[in-house]
Amino acid sequence: MSVFIAYNSSLHITQKKDKLLSKYNLICLLQYTEQEKDPKFWNAWAQRTLKNALTLQELNKNKAKNLILFLGDGMGVPTVTAARILKGQLNGQNGEETQLEMDKFPFVSLSKTYNTNAQVPDSAGTATAYLCGVKANEGTVGVSAAAVRSQCNTTQGNEVTSILKWAKDAGKSVGIVTTTRVNHATPSAAYAHCVDRDWYSDNEMPAEALQAGCKDIARQLFENIPNIDVIMGGGRKYMFPKNASDIEYPNILKHSGTRKDGRNLVEEWVDRMRNKNGRYVWNKTQLLTLNPNNVDYLLGLFEPGDMTYDLERNTESDPSLTEMVDVAIKILKKNPSGFYLLVEGGRIDHGHHEGKAKQALHEAVEMDRAIGRAGLLTSDHETLTIVTADHSHVFSFGGYTPRGNTIFGLAPMLSDVDQKPFTSILYGNGPGYKVINGARENVSTGNNYQAQAAVPLNAETHGGEDVAVFAKGPLAHLLHGVHEQNYIPHVMAYAACIGQNREHCMSSSGSAGLRPAFSIVATILSAARLLC
């Protein structure tokens, strides 16, 4: 333990700076550890959990009015565990015993993430799976595996539609909220049919693809499903003519418009929605001053590219994921037919690719806050909420760290090979591989510290293992065991009676086979009146 204290001294400074552990909190931790020594503590906790589990034998078989999918991009199981510990430590706890909002969901399963042509997948092929219900090739969105990446002529005839479109066609309101560009891999599979995920605007497309009639993803956002009710995220520059100055960064060329066709897609959207209670916003103040009751369509583009990491976010001008989700649900839930909402914590993935675990984990914690906020605004009786990831990363943490060790801290021993300290968090590959004078680099701290990696790469890679699927609400129990990733939208559609299998929603007498949640509430109220 003396080695742990000595070599974590610099990290204790970081803890003080971040206010992770005050003297008061440290005393609380010691008291908590004392009660853990008593077997009664663990037995009582397990009994409470058992009683709660027994209540789940009454399955929720209501018809889902609302559907919400939270997608943590790159949020593999090690990331979920580490984010749980971080959440607890940010609240002055040890961390390990903390519950994430997703931990509270009653049903958990595993999803197999491979693409049709890749053992370790990318975010485009996986998005096509969990949004469109079919597995696809890496790098392609909204098209089947018959389409070949970057070959425009393989698009036509191979398009597949998403659950967002199924919901829209059924009369529901639909929304997309992301911390990446709104035309990035994950959100684009909800509305686009594109053989290359990188065709953000026509500027990124080869001339032959444009001549062959393929459309860029930004254009498809507004044309394929023209009345998406809520769209929020980054990606502003792909909507404006080439070299058009950005409203927030007017003197920075890399943030200027990219479109070669000269179109202003935002202006076109505003004109189309002028008499439909549509609003366009580009900063937090504009977003939070909206009255959701007076807004039916919302387009929010808060950065030229991806939104900034939550740790670096300007809290005065940039909304958090939680704030965006709050406004989105308040607008969407006005529809008596319900809604479908896709929420992506997209920069978890970016933090890992850069080897910046602190950025990635704070992004995951922020997404968990958004999950909590969504839970407060909806009811499990009528809302099916699913939390999952598209893929994992080669991220891990270990080293026999003691209870309550800061998740970004050191292992309690030196390496018995090079006699240097090492952090608990490590990557299998990535930019954190550094050798100085033939030896492993010493560790340091900071928000942008790149954790050490075993293999040198400019960008860390995805992982190929299964990812968790957390579910609550109507028919959430259908997500159990181990499933193919493309199973997810089929469950959501079945629960809401949209898409291809709706026969179960009608009984032989013509009445609904699944019970609307309001009918259950009405039954309870009627029974209460009779008892009074």
Side-chain angles (χ1 to χ4, degrees), residues 317-352:
S317 61
D318 298 330
S320 66
L321 182 60
T322 301
E323 289 165 338
M324 290 192 290
V325 166
D326 180 88
V327 175
I329 292 178
K330 287 176 179 175
I331 292 173
L332 297 173
K333 69 188 297 188
K334 294 186 299 179
N335 186 339
S337 296
F339 65 85
Y340 171 86
L341 176 62
L342 169 64
V343 182
E344 182 196 20
R347 304 221 63 196
I348 301 169
D349 178 71
H350 295 174
H352 281 322

Side-chain angles (χ1 to χ4, degrees), residues 16-206:
K16 286 183 180 179
K17 181 179 178 182
D18 292 343
K19 297 181 180 178
L20 295 181
L21 289 175
S22 65
K23 289 183 179 179
Y24 171 78
N25 287 331
L26 185 57
I27 292 170
C28 290
L29 296 184
L30 292 173
Q31 290 175 340
Y32 192 79
T33 303
E34 282 301 311
Q35 66 177 339
E36 288 182 0
K37 294 177 181 179
D38 188 346
K40 293 179 182 177
F41 168 79
W42 297 107
N43 289 328
W45 191 347
Q47 286 297 313
R48 289 194 303 271
T49 305
L50 177 59
K51 288 179 181 178
N52 182 60
L54 289 170
T55 66
L56 299 177
Q57 303 308 303
E58 291 286 332
L59 298 177
N60 183 344
K61 295 182 180 180
N62 298 335
K63 177 181 176 180
K65 176 183 177 182
N66 308 313
L67 302 169
I68 304 177
L69 177 63
F70 280 93
L71 193 286
D73 199 315
M75 191 181 70
V77 172
T79 299
V80 172
T81 307
R84 177 188 305 132
I85 293 171
L86 174 59
K87 177 184 178 180
Q89 292 180 347
L90 289 170
N91 292 322
Q93 301 166 341
N94 280 315
E96 299 86 356
E97 71 289 341
T98 301
Q99 270 197 313
L100 291 168
E101 292 299 325
M102 65 187 91
D103 291 339
K104 301 172 186 176
F105 285 27
F107 298 98
V108 183
S109 58
L110 291 176
S111 169
K112 297 160 68 176
T113 65
Y114 66 90
N115 296 148
T116 48
N117 64 341
Q119 185 178 75
V120 178
D122 91 315
S123 295
T126 52
T128 303
Y130 61 75
L131 290 175
C132 302
V134 300
K135 290 229 171 192
N137 293 327
E138 61 88 25
T140 66
V141 292
V143 289
S144 72
V148 181
R149 184 170 187 173
S150 302
Q151 293 187 18
C152 173
N153 63 358
T154 65
T155 307
Q156 192 169 1
N158 294 319
E159 300 92 341
V160 291
T161 57
S162 77
I163 187 170
L164 182 140
K165 188 175 190 308
W166 309 340
K168 190 67 175 176
D169 289 346
K172 295 183 183 295
S173 294
V174 295
I176 296 169
V177 176
T178 179
T179 52
T180 66
R181 289 154 276 185
V182 294
N183 50 348
H184 206 253
T186 295
S188 64
Y191 57 82
H193 311 290
C194 192
V195 292
D196 198 314
R197 58 175 286 179
D198 296 329
W199 291 355
Y200 300 119
S201 73
D202 59 349
N203 182 65
E204 289 75 39
M205 295 178 65

Side-chain angles (χ1 to χ4, degrees), residues 279-322:
R279 299 289 185 274
Y280 167 66
V281 296
W282 61 269
N283 62 51
K284 177 177 176 176
T285 300
Q286 292 175 341
L287 176 68
L288 298 188
T289 52
L290 291 175
N291 182 346
N293 293 322
N294 299 328
V295 179
D296 294 328
Y297 296 95
L298 174 62
L299 174 62
L301 300 173
F302 303 105
E303 286 292 330
D306 299 317
M307 296 184 70
T308 56
Y309 284 122
D310 196 62
L311 275 178
E312 299 171 355
R313 180 172 59 90
N314 183 328
T315 56
E316 297 296 318
S317 61
D318 298 330
S320 66
L321 182 60
T322 301

